[in-house]
Amino acid sequence: RAPRADGTIGRSIAPDSVDLETLFADAMAKYKGLSLYAEWMRRNADRAFATATSGPRMIYAGEGTLLQAGYMVGPKTETVLRYARITPKRAIESSADRTQQSTLGMNHYLRGHRFKIQYDLTYERTIRRHRTESSTKDLLARFQIEIGI
């Protein structure tokens, strides 16, 4: 039984606790510069809300999917396409967002995976069902330098 809203992390739901079940599956394939990756996750809880001393706490349950494809366009440069979706269970959809992301990116490897530059552009759509149906659409630009040891 989990004593926190997110299992071992998150806000305390003491003196209450919940049963959580989490399933993960992933697969990856690489062939001649092409890489494919897929990831799926499902989380179930024995109930949608717990009663904490400080008030009710939502227990997140739902599904997530990530699909990614990459292709090496040069000896050190990779283009990447990515799609991600997070969908809450029906019991909490009035309190949790549904999110979809589509990403186009580029990785440049300066010294293998130890030193690389990454940049991408992401279109994100978030559907909120809090009180009234609404959605937001955002365009995100990201730049990252990764240095490994």
Side-chain angles (χ1 to χ4, degrees):
R1 296 199 51 92
R4 297 184 174 275
D6 295 325
T8 57
I9 62 172
R11 297 184 299 177
S12 173
I13 56 174
D16 206 351
S17 62
V18 295
D19 285 330
L20 298 174
E21 174 188 74
T22 306
L23 303 170
F24 288 95
D26 64 357
M28 183 166 56
K30 291 184 178 185
Y31 181 72
K32 292 188 177 183
L34 176 68
S35 64
L36 301 172
Y37 179 75
E39 185 175 285
W40 172 84
M41 178 271 213
R42 174 183 286 161
R43 182 181 205 187
N44 293 315
D46 62 347
R47 60 186 182 280
F49 292 88
T51 305
T53 305
S54 58
R57 298 266 194 252
M58 181 185 71
I59 308 300
Y60 193 92
E63 286 193 12
T65 304
L66 171 69
L67 303 172
Q68 179 174 296
Y71 187 72
M72 296 298 293
V73 294
K76 294 185 174 193
T77 305
E78 177 186 33
T79 58
V80 179
L81 289 172
R82 185 179 307 123
Y83 174 78
R85 181 183 73 218
I86 300 172
T87 307
K89 289 258 186 197
R90 200 170 291 244
I92 62 166
E93 69 182 0
S94 64
S95 301
D97 297 340
R98 184 172 21 154
T99 304
Q100 294 179 350
Q101 289 185 340
S102 300
T103 302
L104 174 63
M106 185 81 74
N107 299 325
H108 188 71
Y109 301 95
L110 300 172
R111 187 167 285 166
H113 284 275
R114 290 187 176 272
F115 185 38
K116 62 185 171 183
I117 298 172
Q118 300 173 294
Y119 36 94
D120 63 52
L121 192 61
T122 299
Y123 171 75
E124 180 177 87
R125 181 170 180 241
T126 303
I127 299 170
R128 294 182 170 85
R129 295 198 170 171
H130 312 281
R131 298 185 190 105
T132 61
E133 179 87 21
S134 68
S135 66
T136 60
K137 297 174 183 175
D138 296 305
L139 196 57
L140 311 167
R142 188 172 17 222
F143 174 78
Q144 176 177 311
I145 298 174
E146 187 174 321
I147 302 171
I149 52 174

